[in-house]
Amino acid sequence: MPADGLYEILDDRFRTERCANGDSRLEVLHAGCRWAEGPLYLPAWRQLIWSDIPNDRILRWDEATGTVGVFRTPAGHSNGNTLDRQGRLVTCEQGNRRVTRTEPDGTVTVLADRYAGKRLNSPNDSVVRSDGTIWFSDPDFGITSDYEGHRAESEIGACNVYRIDPGTGDVHLAADGFEGPNGVILSPDEKRLYVSDSRTARIHVFDIREDGTLSDGKVFAEGRGNVHFDNIRFDDEGRLWAAALDDSVHCYHPDGTLIGRLRVPEPVSNIAFGGPKNNRLFITATTSLYSLVMSVTGAPRL
């Protein structure tokens, strides 16, 4: 893929802020998944893990050798993966309808599987604040069929975003009114929570109050055409990068303007920054894992 085919400049700031000055080609790291999501770079091991949801496994790519192996199977039809502030793996398991944490000894702790006594739908993505608070999205993607989980009726009857209290472990309703809440990410200063809603093609932003509750929120970005946002990530200049499914990867300026796109040959599900300098963008797209060493750097790992 030539450079002019990889980077699409929609606003001159995409050029002047050097967003299009990285690799001229996407590198294919792995192919052969059914539906790849949840990339997470593990700095201590120089490895990337990601979920192959229909195949019910988490795969692992080693940066030093380029080899790929199975990290975990079965994996509860896992989707999003992240790290908490102690370096422990937090995973949204669509099939098991829960959020879990993998302890240093390999045991798995269930962090959330119910709200108000009712089973969660199919947790999708999560983010951990520096004080240990966890927010996670809970659409119904894993219960609408047996492809990415297990077909079932929703006990809650809605698709929401929840908050896990770091002190008590209690699960609180954080935000509702979504049709398909998907990616969740904190602003670099941890003062705002961003949530993508795949079915409405919108990215919402909420202010976080001192007690951890959210403001009413507003729409930060809205897609057009075939855009259905999945997960979202920040770089260290406050630009928001969004996996936009059939429309590849979007880059939004902090003022909400779409300034550029990265064209990917398959529908994009998730993205994650990683590598030793945190400037390598990993992209899961349908059957494949791609990477791109960029001239921008991901938001600092706290």
Side-chain angles (χ1 to χ4, degrees):
M1 184 178 292
D4 59 356
L6 175 58
Y7 302 98
E8 181 181 2
I9 298 170
L10 303 174
D11 183 297
D12 199 52
R13 287 173 290 185
F14 196 65
R15 187 196 313 275
T16 60
E17 296 178 11
R18 302 178 61 81
C19 297
N21 288 16
D23 284 349
S24 61
R25 296 177 182 271
L26 289 172
E27 183 178 1
V28 180
L29 302 181
H30 182 71
C33 298
R34 275 198 162 89
W35 180 251
E37 293 222 33
L40 171 67
Y41 185 77
L42 306 173
W45 295 275
R46 289 190 62 192
Q47 295 179 344
L48 182 101
I49 63 171
W50 77 99
S51 301
D52 184 3
I53 303 175
N55 285 325
D56 196 14
R57 60 184 182 172
I58 298 176
L59 298 176
R60 172 174 52 201
W61 171 79
D62 185 84
E63 190 169 28
T65 64
T67 58
V68 172
V70 176
F71 174 80
R72 178 179 293 167
T73 188
H77 294 282
S78 66
N79 194 320
N81 298 286
T82 192
L83 294 177
D84 69 9
R85 302 308 162 142
Q86 287 73 49
R88 297 170 297 188
L89 176 64
V90 176
T91 299
C92 291
E93 300 180 12
Q94 287 191 169
N96 291 332
R97 301 170 71 169
R98 66 187 190 178
V99 180
T100 63
R101 181 179 66 218
T102 302
E103 309 297 348
D105 64 0
T107 59
V108 174
T109 299
V110 177
L111 301 178
D113 60 0
R114 293 178 182 271
Y115 169 68
K118 299 177 181 180
R119 291 192 71 186
L120 298 172
N121 295 325
S122 54
N124 185 285
D125 194 23
S126 67
V127 64
V128 184
R129 196 166 64 174
S130 57
D131 66 358
T133 302
I134 299 174
W135 283 271
F136 68 92
S137 58
D138 186 41
D140 59 4
F141 305 151
I143 61 173
T144 56
S145 75
D146 291 319
Y147 188 69
E148 293 189 16
H150 306 288
R151 183 186 301 175
E153 294 295 324
S154 172
E155 295 185 13
I156 295 173
C159 298
N160 302 319
V161 173
Y162 298 97
R163 171 175 56 91
I164 304 175
D165 185 277
T168 65
D170 293 340
V171 178
H172 300 276
L173 177 65
D176 56 12
F178 300 102
E179 293 188 22
N182 200 319
V184 293
I185 195 70
L186 290 165
S187 61
D189 62 7
E190 298 191 332
K191 293 181 179 180
R192 293 172 299 281
L193 181 76
Y194 289 73
V195 180
S196 68
D197 190 334
S198 294
R199 290 188 174 124
T200 63
R202 291 172 177 166
I203 299 174
H204 300 261
V205 57
F206 302 86
D207 290 326
I208 303 173
R209 303 185 181 101
E210 289 188 10
D211 63 358
T213 59
L214 304 178
S215 68
D216 291 336
K218 62 181 180 180
V219 175
F220 172 78
E222 189 166 4
R224 296 287 186 272
N226 291 328
V227 174
H228 297 281
F229 297 114
D230 205 301
N231 90 320
I232 44 183
R233 291 290 181 263
F234 277 102
D235 66 24
D236 65 355
E237 296 293 330
R239 292 174 292 252
L240 185 71
W241 298 77
L245 294 174
D246 288 349
D247 203 35
S248 298
V249 180
H250 286 198
C251 178
Y252 290 90
H253 193 270
D255 66 9
T257 303
L258 176 62
I259 61 174
R261 283 193 283 251
L262 303 177
R263 295 194 182 102
V264 181
E266 298 179 87
V268 175
S269 60
N270 279 193
I271 55 176
F273 284 100
K277 297 181 179 179
N278 207 28
N279 68 335
R280 188 171 191 168
L281 186 69
F282 295 93
I283 302 169
T284 52
T286 312
T287 64
S288 307
L289 173 67
Y290 299 90
S291 81
L292 174 70
V293 178
M294 303 187 71
S295 52
V296 302
T297 302
R301 305 181 184 115
L302 300 177

